[in-house]
Amino acid sequence: MSDDPAIVDCLIVGGGPAGLTAALYLKRFRRSVLVVDGGESRAAWIPESHNIPFFSHGISGKEILAREREHAARYDVVAETGRVTDVRKSEGGFRATIESPNGAAREVAARRVVLATGAVDVEPDLPDVPDAVRRGLVRYCPICDGYEAIGKRVAVIARGDRGVGEAIFIRRTYSDDVTLLTLGEQLDLEPGQEEDLREKGVTIVPEPVVGLDHEGDAIGAMRTAQQELHFDILYSALGLRYRSELALALGARHDERKALWVDEHCQTSVKGLYAIGDVVIGLDQIVVGMGQAAFAATHIHNRCEYPTEDE
Ligand SMILES: Cc1cc2nc3c(=O)[nH]c(=O)nc-3n(C[C@H](O)[C@H](O)[C@H](O)COP(=O)(O)OP(=O)(O)OC[C@H]3O[C@@H](n4cnc5c(N)ncnc54)[C@H](O)[C@@H]3O)c2cc1C
């Protein structure tokens, strides 16, 4: 426990599955923690997940978040609604600016910072997509829910070289009826890749989709100027935009997509700055983010002594 109330042991930016797990671990290590959350968890989009252990009958993303908040609240963790707009190095750790929803800004000092800021799915240019995602008509992650697509007619929205691997993954694992929709954009394929896709039984439709009908909780039809297409499941494979700006401003190492590099303790290349969950290079899954939270929190607790090893 920090004996200086003006400085928290750890500021956690983001209150999704990863950030809330880190808060839970740190509080159980009797550390002072501040969680600030912008309220835009990717998990909130999950209609029902079937790959979270312990929930054999499935659980929605909103329910996962509610249960995690309730669990953390038992240790007096309340995620403060707001945005961390800036994190800087300072003596003894970091200083950060928090902007509350009414626009007021304040400064906090933290010995360590965990970024659990997640990522945002790049949305396809389709009519009615926000509604279709909420209703489970458009999916983003065959690793999460491809199992529920077994034997179904599946379409994958692709752009550039994105989506090709996803279409092949679904074709080899779950369905022999897979179509790649390029929405009128150029596919950026290696020589021979298009033939390879066709040989593997993936159909390519290069025309833009001009209309989408839903029938109950299924896609009725997608219309291009030339044809009407029928699928049971539509995946969008356009990639993610990583919310890594705070770390990038501190010079943290990242890949070409701006996802963050971390070491085996989930520490970024900036000492004392940790990153967990979707914002990190790797597999964007809830259990992965939770595991990373456990690594980061334990390392923080073991190293964040008074004075700290680098003070
Ligand atoms: C449709 C869909 C279905 C999915 N299904 C599954 C599934 O079945 N199984 C599975 O394991 N995964 C699934 N996922 C992926 C899963 O949702 C993510 O892996 C998970 O939510 C990542 O957790 P996180 O805590 O890293 O980030 P998030 O859950 O995205 O939370 C990040 C939080 O940080 C906040 N934040 C960002 N920047 C700031 C800032 N500057 N200041 C304050 N707060 C900030 C955001 O507002 C947000 O609340 C699915 C995703 C989608 C979209």
Side-chain angles (χ1 to χ4, degrees), residues 13-20 36-52 65 82-85 116-119 121 133 138-141 144-145 243 245-246 276-279 283-289:
V13 189
L20 288 171
V36 181
D37 183 42
E40 292 174 327
S41 168
R42 228 181 138 218
W45 291 97
I46 307 173
E48 190 167 82
S49 175
H50 290 270
N51 73 352
I52 314 286
L65 291 169
R83 295 205 68 75
V84 174
T85 55
T117 44
D121 294 275
V133 173
V138 173
R139 299 185 185 182
Y140 283 109
C141 170
C144 306
D145 49 33
R243 291 193 189 111
E245 300 83 0
L246 295 171
I276 58 176
D278 282 5
V279 73
L283 193 59
D284 304 318
Q285 292 284 284
I286 287 173
V287 295
V288 174

Side-chain angles (χ1 to χ4, degrees), residues 16-60:
L20 288 171
T21 304
L24 175 68
Y25 270 66
L26 283 164
K27 286 299 278 192
R28 286 177 56 85
F29 296 146
R30 308 185 70 211
R31 290 290 181 171
S32 60
V33 170
L34 175 62
V35 182
V36 181
D37 183 42
E40 292 174 327
S41 168
R42 228 181 138 218
W45 291 97
I46 307 173
E48 190 167 82
S49 175
H50 290 270
N51 73 352
I52 314 286
F54 311 121
F55 297 102
S56 53
H57 298 292
I59 182 166
S60 75

